[in-house]
Amino acid sequence: MGSERGREMRERDEESYRYSCFVSPLKTLSASFKVLLRNPKVFASIFALTSLPLSVLLFSQSVSSHPIKTQIYHLEAVAALSPTRFEARHVWKESRAYAISLVRLNALFFFPCYALSLLAAIAAVHSTGLSCNGKRPTLEAALTAVRTTWKRASVTTICVYAVMAVYILLQRALVAAAAGRPGMDLGPVAVAVALAGLGMEVYLMAVLSLGTVVSVMEESWGWDAIGSGWGLMEGRRFSGWALSGILVLGSGCIGWEMEEMMDGGDWWSVGGWRVMGFGNQVLLMCLFGVVMLWSYVLNTVFYFECRRRQPVFSGEPESEIEV
């Protein structure tokens, strides 16, 4: 009798877990939209002052670097097919010159992009935090939060960039090792390694994003904030992975559309220069800015859900988020 009751309880818990895995991300998405819709003025101001200029800078960087990247890929292909080592070395030397130009161009855009992304993250996270606590966010309160928390957030984001850089290099090395000789098509093992690495990268982004929110909302920074983000995801790791995947998919679709347009789609000529269609460019920039702002709001709502879920593990009832 006791064993049957225990089996029924386990089955009920498994069904509840499967239900929460699919429903919980939807509830988080719904709550993030409510936060945006109930506070349109402050988030419109944050979008106009930070997210939109950041999107313009990122798109300008992409458009400026695209011809250089195309030339580098072309020279690498030529070097791989060169009949002699002398010709290959000459082509590789020219390719390195373009690569140096690309690094300089990216460095020129890095600091203003980093500053705007930091401002956007702090302002959006703080405003969402006030809304989740039942308070009315204002632009003045967001600016105050920027002045008081930018040091913690900047240290944490530097740690985030370091972790992502190391992981991407490691992932590429594993895929290259699984692929065998360079220039060959990826085999099934390399494809499996790449897909597993992509899934892990999405999860890592969820943890790091939560750590960034922790550095704004709490007196924590750097590795401590990232560690707190990892701990907060206990019991909701699938939800965090799913939400991060949605954000990656959204920004990735915009990036793919941009690449398609630069590779020969919507262009018009001005004095011999190829310029992307203005209307489509403005649309993509605005859409990307909205996705970035929404990502900050979504990660903050997820943070509060994880934080308020902690009492459940201690036997206390789970509280709801006020938006």
Side-chain angles (χ1 to χ4, degrees):
M1 187 72 177
S3 60
E4 292 180 358
R5 181 176 300 176
R7 184 172 63 255
E8 291 178 357
M9 293 180 62
R10 286 193 300 270
E11 291 177 354
R12 191 181 302 114
D13 291 340
E14 290 177 358
E15 292 178 359
S16 176
Y17 175 76
R18 288 194 296 267
Y19 176 79
S20 63
C21 283
F22 292 99
V23 174
S24 183
L26 297 179
K27 292 175 61 178
T28 306
L29 291 172
S30 175
S32 67
F33 289 130
K34 289 180 181 179
V35 170
L36 289 171
L37 294 176
R38 293 187 180 183
N39 306 279
K41 291 184 178 180
V42 64
F43 285 109
S45 300
I46 294 173
F47 171 78
L49 295 174
T50 59
S51 297
L52 183 58
L54 175 59
S55 180
V56 172
L57 278 177
L58 292 174
F59 270 67
S60 299
Q61 180 184 8
S62 180
V63 171
S64 302
S65 61
H66 184 263
I68 302 177
K69 291 180 180 179
T70 302
Q71 189 65 21
I72 292 174
Y73 296 149
H74 172 71
L75 291 174
E76 288 179 351
V78 172
L81 298 176
S82 297
T84 63
R85 292 185 178 180
F86 175 79
E87 294 180 2
R89 282 197 299 267
H90 178 75
V91 175
W92 279 113
K93 184 177 180 180
E94 186 177 357
S95 176
R96 283 194 296 268
Y98 279 103
I100 293 174
S101 300
L102 181 61
V103 171
R104 291 174 178 173
L105 179 64
N106 290 336
L108 182 65
F109 279 93
F110 174 78
F111 291 102
C113 288
Y114 177 76
L116 283 174
S117 64
L118 190 65
L119 293 175
I122 296 175
V125 168
H126 181 77
S127 298
T128 306
L130 290 178
S131 181
C132 290
N133 284 320
K135 301 177 182 179
R136 179 67 62 181
T138 62
L139 185 60
E140 291 76 11
L143 294 176
T144 301
V146 171
R147 289 195 297 268
T148 57
T149 64
W150 70 270
K151 292 182 180 179
R152 298 199 308 264
S154 60
V155 173
T156 305
T157 52
I158 290 173
C159 295
V160 168
Y161 286 144
V163 171
M164 288 304 301
V166 172
Y167 179 79
I168 290 174
L169 291 175
L170 179 62
Q171 180 186 6
R172 291 178 178 177
L174 291 176
V175 173
R181 291 184 300 174
M184 296 179 60
D185 294 334
L186 294 180
V189 177
V191 171
V193 172
L195 292 177
L198 179 60
M200 185 61 190
E201 182 179 353
V202 171
Y203 176 75
L204 184 61
M205 291 172 65
V207 174
L208 297 177
S209 298
L210 203 58
T212 303
V213 175
V214 169
S215 68
V216 177
M217 300 304 303
E218 303 178 10
E219 294 292 332
S220 182
W221 50 277
W223 302 115
D224 291 337
I226 295 175
S228 298
W230 166 268
L232 282 173
M233 286 184 65
E234 181 180 357
R236 298 205 61 189
R237 301 195 186 279
F238 176 81
S239 297
W241 179 83
L243 294 172
S244 180
I246 292 173
L247 294 174
V248 170
L249 180 61
S251 59
C253 288
I254 298 174
W256 293 330
E257 182 65 23
M258 183 70 175
E259 289 291 334
E260 287 291 329
M261 297 173 70
M262 290 189 297
D263 285 335
D266 186 14
W267 294 84
W268 49 284
S269 179
V270 176
W273 292 85
R274 296 173 68 204
V275 183
M276 191 168 65
F278 181 75
N280 289 333
Q281 187 177 17
V282 171
L283 177 62
L284 286 177
M285 285 190 295
C286 292
L287 185 59
F288 189 63
V290 170
V291 170
M292 284 192 295
L293 179 62
W294 176 53
S295 69
Y296 301 136
V297 175
L298 183 62
N299 287 323
T300 308
V301 171
F302 181 64
Y303 159 81
F304 274 92
E305 290 181 346
C306 292
R307 175 60 69 189
R308 295 179 182 183
R309 183 182 172 83
Q310 295 301 308
V312 175
F313 296 101
S314 302
E316 302 176 13
E318 183 177 3
S319 57
E320 295 291 333
I321 295 178
E322 301 178 19
V323 294

